[in-house]
């Protein structure tokens, strides 16, 4: 029997509204300002939330300076088309040169790694 249910994945970042807008452009949904954080609502799957972390240090990919902590896997139909979109939105390619793989790794504007997966 489960003790709890996953309510949201919360990302620390320097600018919660800007990062929420990035993910809203990527995943859809609505950006909703709360008192101390920003929610992204109306998306399929687990909700995302964003909170300010003034001393935020982005994780490293690959985790050469400690752990990357976690990353998001985002399923897409067309890797090439999705790649063009995320780069236009401000993402950075981290590991996207191997065009034979079914996934590519990027960082959001705050430096959190995420994968586009054609699985």
């Amino acid at each position: 029997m489960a003790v709890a249910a996953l309510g949201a994945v919360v990302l620390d970042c320097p600018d919660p509204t800007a990062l929420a807008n990035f993910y809203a452009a990527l995943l859809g949904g609505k950006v909703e300002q709360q008192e101390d954080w920003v929610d992204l609502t109306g998306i399929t799957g687990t909700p995302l939330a964003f909170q300010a972390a003034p001393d935020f240090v982005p994780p490293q990919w690959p985790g050469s300076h400690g752990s990357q902590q976690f990353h998001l896997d985002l399923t897409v139909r067309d890797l090439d088309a999705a790649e063009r979109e995320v780069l236009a939105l401000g993402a950075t390619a981290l590991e996207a040169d191997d065009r034979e793989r079914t996934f590519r790794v990027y960082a959001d504007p705050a430096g959190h790694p995420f994968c586009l997966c054609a699985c």
Side-chain angles (χ1 to χ4, degrees):
M1 183 158 126
V3 173
L6 181 60
V9 172
V10 182
L11 299 172
D12 287 355
C13 57
D15 185 341
T17 301
L19 195 57
N21 284 323
F22 170 83
Y23 280 101
L26 182 58
L27 301 171
K30 181 179 177 187
V31 174
E32 295 184 5
Q33 183 70 48
Q34 306 300 325
E35 186 173 329
D36 294 325
W37 71 91
V38 178
D39 285 326
L40 180 58
T41 62
I43 61 173
T44 302
T46 302
L48 292 176
F50 309 87
Q51 67 182 16
D55 296 325
F56 175 75
V57 176
Q60 298 295 307
W61 185 280
S64 61
H65 298 292
S67 170
Q68 65 170 309
Q69 299 167 3
F70 78 97
H71 68 273
L72 302 172
D73 279 351
L74 308 176
T75 303
V76 300
R77 292 179 190 229
D78 181 329
L79 277 173
D80 293 331
E83 177 180 69
R84 286 190 296 275
E85 293 291 329
V86 299
L87 294 175
L89 291 170
T92 303
L94 297 177
E95 194 175 313
D97 293 336
D98 185 347
R99 304 316 236 187
E100 299 301 314
R101 288 193 314 196
T102 59
F103 70 94
R104 298 177 192 159
V105 185
Y106 304 87
D108 67 26
H112 302 102
F114 67 93
C115 293
L116 296 179
C117 304
C119 304

